[in-house]
Structures are given as structure tokens and as C-alpha cells.
Amino acid sequence: MSNYHIKHLEEYYQVYRKSIREPENFWEEIAEEHFMWRKKWDKVLSWDFSKPEVKWFEGAQLNITENCIDRHLATRGDKTAILFEPNNPDEEAEHITYSQLHQRVCKFANVLKSQGVKKGDRVCIYLPMIPELAISVLACARIGAIHSVVFAGFSSSALATRINDSDCKMVITSDGSYRGSKTIDLKGIVDDALEDCQGVNSVLVAKRIHSEIEMKAGRDHWLQPLLDDASDVCKAEIMNAEDPLFILYTSGSTGKPKGMVHTTAGYMVYTAYTFKNVFQYREKDVYWCTADIGWITGHSYIVYGPLCNGATSVMFEGVPSYPDFGRFWEIVEKHKVNQFYTAPTAIRALAKEGVDHLEKHDLTSLKVLGTVGEPINEEAWHWYDDNVGKKKSPIVDTWWQTETGGIMISPIPFVTPTKPTYATLPFIGIQPALMDENGQEIKGNQVDGRLCVKFPWPSMARTIWGNHQRYKDTYFSAFENKYFTGDGALRDEVGYYRITGRVDDVIIVSGHNLGTAPIEDAINEHPAVAESAIVGFPHDIKGNALYGYVTLKETGESRDQNNLRKEINQLITEQIGPIAKLDKIQFTAGLPKTRSGKIMRRILRKIACKDTSNLGDTSTLLNPEIVQGIMDEAL
Ligand code: WT7
């Protein structure tokens, strides 16, 4: 029996039981046999959720890039590590072998050093999905710099907030990006952001769209000439197991985005192990995850997990709809993709276009289909299963979070029988718990509650950058001695989990995690706006869309409402990005509030969802009379 690669259900249960009964022995064995260490650990695990403090493989030394690249050179030097598929189908795909990746990462790492970047420094990466993105991530890891990738769809002000929060001294970007038929001026966005970022002293610029851009003397450098001059030898910095590997921002219900900190050894072991099993990756397979490396899915399952396993990982620059909705299937056929991992929102958008595009392409290479990011509805699940997988490729509905680093609940394909809309069983080593509102664990099956995790796993985030108290308050305070996920879930009669969605004020729109607070802050900046509240409501393709209730100041009441709507969405686009734009904006005379002044979103949510037959308890409202008016004027 190999604990590293699970092939039967019986084996899953055996390995699972072992991972729960003897977690330290279990993870020690996995770590020992499948990774390259400069020094082994003194202690596998120490933890205390009340602080909270979690350490895995303490005392060990390693560099994750030696695991992702160097150790494959002897056996897989000429194998494609990254297969880059450009936005434009007429441009040629690029196969970057493990040897070439090694050279390019080393060169890039030397450029970082020559610009004064040192171990522990933070580097912000704001790039489109081009090879330089994966390479710069690995180059940071090579020298022990902490990367903070910001999704290149965020606005300049969102970028500035993230750069400043973690004190980045460098930004890596490009002259621009291609997205379908559009080009985006990324460098211009960086320039705007940097007006508010005093700590950044160097900007590296990759050439992608060959546009005329301004380069600020002394600060901005074209990347290519620096790479040309750099040596391709760069010794890997030796890192401690618990040294931070990266920061990745995610939205919270309140306040500014949270910089989740992931550390080195545990993250590596868990992402590699989950990748191998959840996708049943075999040596000759071509694996494609359609996410952007700006999100955790891309970090763990385009870069680190696949490369640690010596896999071929496709990196796609474009969008599913360009030049038409057949693009994904064309890529599957062209590169003979074996594992395909995408989001429910993409599946719904593709399903809406019908099956004509699918029928034009040979999809017989596909073996495993994955989904992630939000609950997948039954219709989308069946469409995916019937038309993409032809009922032969199991669907792995993988539940996890930026904070968890790796996949937590998921079927193992060909091992776990799937069930539509169910993420099914906890992955090896994961101990979920469902909790009731009184803080008690709900045992048994056929129950639902708030989803927590009772025991540490190797890839959990260790803190929020610069704010450990917030880490504790957000994740370890709702339920004693447990990590609280913010999601609700139910457990069926055989112990399968179905994630029912967020139970807090985070709304998932097109698979993007959006906090209500930053959006409301953006709206409230409008001079005519007094107050606002955002809720989610169901949307065919996006899963959820945003509904904003806005009250105006007296000065705003005479304004044209359609213009106001446009201005509000413009503000949101500037402050956060177009992904956070509102689908509906209702102007109201007031917002329902509790006596303590808290907006009662529950009621607003029901109105937005047109579910007003029972509004629930409204007795604690300070201003119950306002509700009828909001209902009468609902959009
Ligand atoms: C939230 C985390 C993890 C990568 C992408 C999102 C929701 C994620 C599923 C799923 C139902 C899911 C949860 C979770 N979510 N995967 N398979 N089924 N819901 O990472 O941006 O940190 O969002 O996404 O609500 O808490 P993220």
C-alpha cells in the first residue's frame, strides 16, 4: 500500500484513519518519502488553537523550488513543466521544460537579488497569466523573498492597499495584458497605485503587448535586458520549515483585505499530496487548471502542487469566450488535456452556449474534471458530467479556501463515488466538524451546521500579515478550539459533505470572494450617498450577483438616478475592480437597523431574493416601518 497514491476506496478509509489516529507519523512518512530536505525536522507538529499557533516540520530546512524544479532535472529535464497557451489562438503555445524553467527561475532570482531584494522582503507581483508570473513566483521562493501576487483585475487603489499592507519593496508587472479582444494598461494601473506607495523602490516590467508606456527613471526597469545579463546559476536559499512562503489577500466580512500568510514546508507537502490524489496525476498526463495565479487555486494547483509532482501544468492567458465559447475545448483537444479544473461560473457560462462548441472538438483525452470556488448547482454539475465528461470522467467538487492552502473536502476520482453538488469526503488528514449555534458539535449524519475543522493540517495559513489578533478573532473565536471556515454545510446519511454557502457577509460572485464592507466603503465615498448595504442574490451564471441598497443625502435626492448608478459602479471599479460592480442599485429612504445600529442584512437579502413571504423576526428593528417601503420599491 502506498500512502502517497490512493487507488481504492478501502485504501482511502485505511489511510484516512491512520492520518487521524497518528497524524504525526502519517505526515512524517509522506514528508520523508516524497520530498527533498536540506535538513529533517525535529518535531512534526506542535499546535495550540487558542493562541492560535501551528507549526509543522519544525527544525526542517528546505527550498520549495528545489522540490518543484531541481529534483526533477535528472529524470524530467526535457519534460514540459509549464505549457503556456496565449490569449490569441494564432500565437504559438510555449512549452517550458523543467530544464528551461530552472534556468529562467535562476536568472530571474538573480535579477531580484541585483535589485536588492533579500530573504524575507516582500515582492508584489501584478502580472497577467504569462510565464513570467509563474517564474517570478518561483524566483521569489528561490531566494526566500515573500511573494504577494495581486490578481491583475484589481484596481490601482486595491493594489496600493495590498502593497502598503505588507510593505512590498518591489512590484513586478508588465506593459499591459491581453484579455480576449481587449488590452489592459497594467503599467498605468501600477503607476497610479505607486503614487500612494512610498516603500516601493523598484518596478520590473515584462513586455507583453508592446505598448508605449512611461518608465520612471531610477524606479522602473525593463525585465528582459536584466534577464539577458543575469547568470543562470542561483543557489537556493535554505529556508526554515515555518518561514513565510507567500502572502495572499482575501476579503473579509469587515475591514481591509486579509493578507493570509502561508509558510513553506507544510504548504508544500499538503499541496503536492492533494494534487497527486485529487487529480490522480500520472507521469504522462497534461493537467490544466483554468484559474488565475492571482488566486490561491493558481498558487497551489497551477504552480506548487503540480510542479512538486513533476507534472505538466497548462497556463492559459485568455478567457473562455474568446475568440468564441469553444476556446476551452479547443485547448483541451490541442494539448490533449487529461485533467481539467475550473469554476462553476465558467461551467454555467459555457452551458448557456449549448453543446455545439463541444461537439466540434475531440475531448477523449479527459479523465478527471474538477470544480472549485463556490457550490456547484445540480444543473451545472450534470451538464459538466454529461457533455464534457460524457459520464466517464469523475467530477471532483473540491471545497477549500485561501486560508486552507489546499483542498480539504473532495472526492478522489475513481475512488470516491461522486454525488452531484456534494464535495463528498474529507481529504486525508482533515477533521471537519459541524457546529450548532450554541457552539456544540453536531454528531451523526443527516445534519447541517457551521463548518469547522478540529485539527491542524499542514497547509493552513499561520496568521494574517501584521495582525495576528485578527487571525484569531476571525477564525478561532467563534468556536472554541476549532478553525471556523465561514461556510455552512450538511452531512448526508453516508457522511458526505455538501457545502451550502457562506454564513457571513462574504459574497461569492463568479467564484470571486467579495467582502461587503470594502464595496460599501467605495459607494459611501460618493458625495451624494449617505449610507449603503450590499447583499447577494441568485444569478444564473455568476452564482450570486450584488444588490446594493443606497440612501442618499438630501443633496443627492434631486439627482438623476441612472447617472448616480453609473457613478457608483464607476467608484467601485476604481476602488476594487470591475468584478465588484453591482447588478442592481435600489435607492431607499433608509436601511433596516437594529437598536444597536447594525444593518439587518438578512431582511435586505430576502427582499433582493424576492423571498418576502416570511421576513423572520423583525422585533429588534429600530425602524420597522422602513421595510415595507423598501419592499414596495424593490427592483
Ligand atoms: C470560499 C473560499 C479555494 C479556491 C477558490 C476560492 C467557497 C470554494 C467550494 C466548493 C462550495 C466552495 C466557500 C469557501 N467554495 N470551493 N467546492 N463548493 N463552496 O477560494 O476565494 O478563499 O473562497 O469559496 O464558500 O469558503 P476563496
Side-chain angles (χ1 to χ4, degrees):
M1 188 175 89
S2 147
N3 286 342
Y4 192 72
H5 187 182
I6 295 158
K7 300 192 192 71
H8 317 281
L9 192 57
E10 197 43 44
E11 206 179 334
Y12 161 79
Y13 281 111
Q14 270 177 34
V15 177
Y16 182 75
R17 277 195 294 269
K18 177 167 179 192
S19 74
I20 303 308
R21 285 188 194 141
E22 313 164 45
E24 297 193 31
N25 289 340
F26 174 78
W27 287 111
E28 172 152 55
E29 229 176 88
I30 297 284
E32 189 120 44
E33 287 170 16
H34 300 278
F35 300 89
M36 192 177 137
W37 303 90
R38 290 301 187 105
K39 175 178 173 289
K40 293 272 165 75
W41 45 91
D42 305 315
K43 192 166 177 2
V44 178
L45 170 65
S46 51
W47 68 292
D48 178 351
F49 275 0
S50 72
K51 284 187 176 164
E53 186 178 85
V54 174
K55 291 180 181 163
W56 284 91
F57 306 112
E58 213 182 338
Q61 294 188 326
L62 72 156
N63 186 290
I64 196 169
T65 68
E66 291 190 326
N67 282 274
C68 287
I69 311 171
D70 303 54
R71 66 163 160 156
H72 304 309
L73 293 177
T75 51
R76 303 183 175 110
D78 296 329
K79 178 175 174 177
T80 302
I82 291 174
L83 204 176
F84 171 64
E85 174 65 32
N87 177 66
N88 180 348
D90 298 331
E91 196 184 315
E92 238 173 90
E94 189 183 345
H95 292 252
I96 303 171
T97 65
Y98 274 92
S99 302
Q100 291 166 335
L101 184 63
H102 184 255
Q103 269 192 350
R104 290 175 70 171
V105 168
C106 287
K107 274 180 169 277
F108 207 125
N110 283 324
V111 169
L112 296 178
K113 283 192 193 167
S114 72
Q115 294 294 310
V117 178
K118 296 195 181 58
K119 178 175 182 171
D121 287 345
R122 275 79 59 207
V123 172
C124 174
I125 303 175
Y126 187 74
L127 279 171
M129 281 286 282
I130 56 177
E132 285 78 1
L133 173 49
I135 291 166
S136 61
V137 159
L138 292 162
C140 286
R142 187 87 179 165
I143 65 167
I146 302 170
H147 55 78
S148 168
V149 182
V150 176
F151 171 62
F154 277 115
S155 70
S156 59
S157 110
L159 175 62
T161 307
R162 287 159 175 77
I163 290 172
N164 287 332
D165 182 73
S166 47
D167 264 320
C168 295
K169 65 191 289 185
M170 173 189 270
V171 178
I172 303 171
T173 189
S174 64
D175 54 352
S177 65
Y178 294 120
R179 226 182 130 65
S181 55
K182 289 190 227 145
T183 55
I184 297 160
D185 174 21
L186 285 194
K187 176 62 164 53
I189 296 173
V190 170
D191 288 342
D192 287 348
L194 292 189
E195 304 242 319
D196 300 320
C197 304
Q198 300 322 312
V200 174
N201 49 39
S202 126
V203 178
L204 300 183
V205 188
K207 229 177 214 159
R208 179 57 183 142
I209 67 169
H210 300 271
S211 57
E212 286 281 317
I213 57 164
E214 262 178 54
M215 295 291 279
K216 189 169 164 187
R219 187 194 71 181
D220 302 348
H221 311 273
W222 287 108
L223 180 61
Q224 197 55 51
L226 295 176
L227 287 171
D228 291 342
D229 289 345
S231 150
D232 61 5
V233 180
C234 177
K235 271 213 279 186
E237 187 77 33
I238 304 208
M239 306 299 287
N240 292 325
E242 285 293 340
D243 280 341
L245 174 63
F246 65 86
I247 301 168
L248 185 61
Y249 286 87
T250 187
S251 338
S253 339
T254 55
K256 56 179 187 174
K258 299 170 287 191
M260 304 313 305
V261 177
H262 283 283
T263 59
T264 307
Y267 175 82
M268 170 182 80
V269 168
Y270 193 78
T271 54
Y273 183 52
T274 45
F275 174 76
K276 176 74 184 169
N277 286 289
V278 171
F279 299 102
Q280 291 284 309
Y281 185 82
R282 308 275 173 140
E283 187 59 36
K284 295 210 160 60
D285 289 347
V286 174
Y287 160 89
W288 180 20
C289 165
T290 70
D292 192 291
I293 294 175
W295 310 114
I296 191 71
T297 310
H299 281 60
S300 302
Y301 299 110
I302 295 178
V303 182
Y304 290 114
L307 297 181
C308 242
N309 283 282
T312 297
S313 180
V314 176
M315 207 180 147
F316 176 43
E317 183 184 27
V319 295
S321 54
Y322 177 80
D324 61 42
F325 277 93
R327 185 70 165 121
F328 273 7
W329 319 127
E330 183 204 327
I331 296 172
V332 167
E333 176 173 9
K334 176 169 164 197
H335 298 304
K336 301 198 172 47
V337 171
N338 303 109
Q339 291 90 357
F340 176 74
Y341 190 27
T342 196
T345 185
I347 299 168
R348 289 189 295 263
L350 292 163
K352 191 164 163 256
E353 301 301 313
V355 293
D356 293 359
H357 289 295
L358 280 159
E359 283 164 358
K360 288 185 207 134
H361 298 283
D362 177 5
L363 305 182
T364 51
S365 59
L366 288 172
K367 295 194 287 194
V368 176
L369 303 177
T371 148
V372 62
E374 59 185 305
I376 181 165
N377 50 306
E378 189 136 8
E379 205 183 334
W381 196 98
H382 283 296
W383 186 85
Y384 201 24
D385 188 39
D386 293 346
N387 300 298
V388 184
K390 322 278 185 215
K391 287 199 159 66
K392 283 194 298 240
S393 303
I395 296 177
V396 290
D397 178 355
T398 63
W399 173 82
W400 58 296
Q401 312 177 293
T402 305
E403 295 86 338
T404 69
I407 292 167
M408 302 287 282
I409 303 183
S410 169
I412 296 177
F414 310 105
V415 172
T416 320
T418 59
K419 176 173 175 181
T421 76
Y422 281 73
T424 76
L425 296 171
F427 191 75
I428 306 302
I430 304 304
Q431 302 190 36
L434 295 178
M435 309 298 291
D436 69 17
E437 276 164 29
N438 305 317
Q440 297 302 310
E441 181 170 354
I442 312 167
K443 299 274 172 121
N445 292 351
Q446 287 186 298
V447 292
D448 68 275
R450 302 187 167 217
L451 181 61
C452 287
V453 187
K454 296 196 269 198
F455 193 85
W457 63 99
S459 68
M460 63 191 292
R462 302 294 195 261
T463 189
I464 291 174
W465 184 264
N467 199 344
H468 196 66
Q469 186 61 39
R470 188 174 179 202
Y471 177 66
K472 178 174 175 169
D473 294 346
T474 311
Y475 304 105
F476 295 89
S477 302
F479 301 97
E480 205 189 339
N481 223 13
K482 291 183 181 62
Y483 166 82
F484 175 47
T485 65
D487 283 316
L490 58 84
R491 189 163 53 220
D492 77 358
E493 61 289 350
V494 298
Y496 276 16
Y497 288 85
R498 177 187 187 171
I499 313 303
T500 47
R502 301 292 307 192
V503 294
D504 55 11
D505 291 330
V506 170
I507 306 171
I508 301 185
V509 178
S510 298
H512 302 309
N513 215 333
L514 300 173
T516 49
I519 306 177
E520 289 161 4
D521 290 346
I523 301 172
N524 298 349
E525 291 218 348
H526 193 289
V529 170
E531 248 193 331
S532 59
I534 305 296
V535 298
F537 71 102
H539 184 280
D540 280 355
I541 290 175
K542 300 190 217 180
N544 292 297
L546 299 177
Y547 193 121
Y549 296 88
V550 176
T551 63
L552 295 173
K553 293 179 184 158
E554 253 172 57
T555 51
E557 283 169 0
S558 54
R559 297 275 317 269
D560 176 75
Q561 294 202 342
N562 279 333
N563 281 339
L564 277 174
R565 287 193 177 93
K566 276 190 207 131
E567 289 166 17
I568 286 170
N569 268 331
Q570 184 54 34
L571 264 173
I572 294 173
T573 305
E574 283 162 19
Q575 303 259 321
I576 301 160
I579 52 179
K581 282 206 284 196
L582 310 182
D583 270 39
K584 292 186 182 175
I585 299 176
Q586 178 180 352
F587 295 102
T588 69
L591 298 170
K593 287 191 187 160
T594 62
R595 281 167 218 286
S596 58
K598 206 169 173 261
I599 297 169
M600 231 199 232
R601 284 167 211 283
R602 183 170 56 76
I603 292 178
L604 295 174
R605 208 174 286 132
K606 288 204 161 195
I607 297 174
C609 298
K610 302 197 165 35
D611 167 27
T612 50
S613 56
N614 175 14
L615 287 180
D617 183 12
T618 54
S619 62
T620 58
L621 277 183
L622 181 68
N623 50 352
E625 70 289 348
I626 217 96
V627 176
Q628 191 59 46
I630 300 178
M631 272 176 13
D632 292 344
E633 289 173 6
L635 303 171

